[in-house]
Amino acid sequence: HNGETVSFDANGDPVASYELVNWKKRDSGSIDVVPVGYYDASQPEGQELRIYRDITWVDGRTQVPQSVCSNSCPPGTRKVLQKGKPICCYDCVQCPEGEISNVTDSPDCVPCINNFWPNPVSNACFPKPVEFLSFSEVLGMILAVFSVGGACLAVIIAAVFFHHRACPIVRANNSELSFLLLFSLTLCFLCSLTFIGAPSQWSCMLRHTAFGVTFVLCISCVLGKTVVVLMAFRATLPGSNVMKWFGPPQQRLTVFTFTAIQVLICIVWLVVSPPYPVKNLSTYKDRIILECALGSALGFWAVLGYIGLLAAVCLVLAVLARKLPDNFNEAKLITFSMLIFCAVWITFIPYVSSPGKFTVAVEIFAILASTFGLILCIFAPKCFIILFKPEKNTKKKLMNKKATVVPAKAT
């Protein structure tokens, strides 16, 4: 009768229809009831509710208030209910280390699978970065440059010695052992390159065995030169024929024998339990360290211990020969070079069992430092005399020194 439309559903029941009113408080304190919209269930889906006037909320605000106890927890956190309060009241707690949540209001965090680690906001898992000393990073490039530079230096010194091979200072210091020592020093410099790059089965075996064999070859040559210095001085005494017991054939045999022993140790090590590449997941949780496992720790320490034994013997003999006459002063240079060699490797020993690319860098540094110490201490003074002090590079100079020393020793 009043013109209103009445609707019924399929069951004959009237369809819900409501008017929405807004209670607005005046300055005087009275309340106005203002229609602001309606709800009609007979309208098409999505059009049941219609607001045609702004709604005023508490204190005159027009922003819709939040009817919640706590805000939603973002991804990377989980909900923890507040004790003694309704279930809508909770705290947002950051996911523990190694776990993530990737949905809003997550009740739990889930751990990342193996070889994955959360991003900084703990809402996604990403593959763990693999760490090793590579040629592409600054540290690897610097060490590689010093390694190649050292090898080039050894080749240049060898060229200088070969060009002046007939001069007295080269001949007086056992040119054959000198060239063999320079060759071994070149290999020592280059073997440090095998420690750079991603470890593989072959590189792990090569880096330790190449290091062991080349350094024994080097120390054997130094030891041979030291013994030659001692024997040469003894040979200057009246009636001495000691040099026939340690001539060039015996020197070559000594170097070969000492090196062959190290080769044998390395072969046994590689056959029984060789080094191999391994992914270290335990040292650091957020990254994978790709490194070479020793295989047999006994084999590694046997290689290193044999080098240390030869170095110690060489150092002792060089110390004994350091007070010989000036024309045999190579023993003083050998003493200083072996002191540097031993000091470097004694310093390195505490880092042997430490993982990570910086430990590899320290090992390479030890190789380069000890090799540079040998080549500079033994050969730099001779090259300086050959190139810049030719007046000292004469047989007469050496013979004059001998003449002043031998009588004193003979009496």
Side-chain angles (χ1 to χ4, degrees), residues 149-319:
C152 293
L153 177 63
V155 172
I156 292 173
I157 293 176
V160 171
F161 266 54
F162 182 78
H163 185 264
H164 298 86
R165 61 189 180 277
C167 70
I169 196 169
V170 175
R171 299 181 63 185
N173 286 282
N174 200 314
S175 59
E176 184 176 337
L177 280 182
S178 295
F179 285 116
L180 186 57
L181 176 57
L182 286 169
F183 172 72
S184 64
L185 288 171
T186 304
L187 296 181
C188 289
F189 280 118
L190 295 180
C191 82
S192 62
L193 295 176
T194 62
F195 289 80
I196 307 176
S200 63
Q201 186 68 41
W202 285 103
S203 67
C204 286
M205 292 190 295
L206 180 62
R207 65 172 57 174
H208 291 97
T209 53
F211 155 74
V213 173
T214 56
F215 263 80
V216 165
L217 177 61
C218 175
I219 300 300
S220 298
C221 292
V222 177
L223 181 58
K225 290 174 73 67
T226 307
V227 174
V228 167
V229 170
L230 289 170
M231 296 299 102
F233 175 70
R234 297 290 301 175
T236 61
L237 299 179
S240 175
N241 59 352
V242 69
M243 281 306 294
K244 75 176 184 178
W245 299 108
F246 200 73
Q250 289 80 11
Q251 297 167 22
R252 289 190 289 267
L253 180 61
T254 301
V255 173
F256 174 80
T257 302
F258 286 146
T259 307
I261 293 174
Q262 183 74 308
V263 171
L264 181 61
I265 294 174
C266 291
I267 291 175
V268 173
W269 182 17
L270 295 180
V271 171
V272 174
S273 182
Y276 58 92
V278 64
K279 291 182 178 180
N280 186 338
L281 304 175
S282 59
T283 303
Y284 300 102
K285 297 178 180 179
D286 58 343
R287 59 187 183 271
I288 300 172
I289 299 177
L290 194 58
E291 60 186 5
C292 287
L294 295 178
S296 171
L298 179 62
F300 172 77
W301 286 109
V303 169
L304 203 61
Y306 184 62
I307 296 175
L309 176 63
L310 290 182
V313 172
C314 186
L315 177 60
V316 170
L317 293 180
V319 169

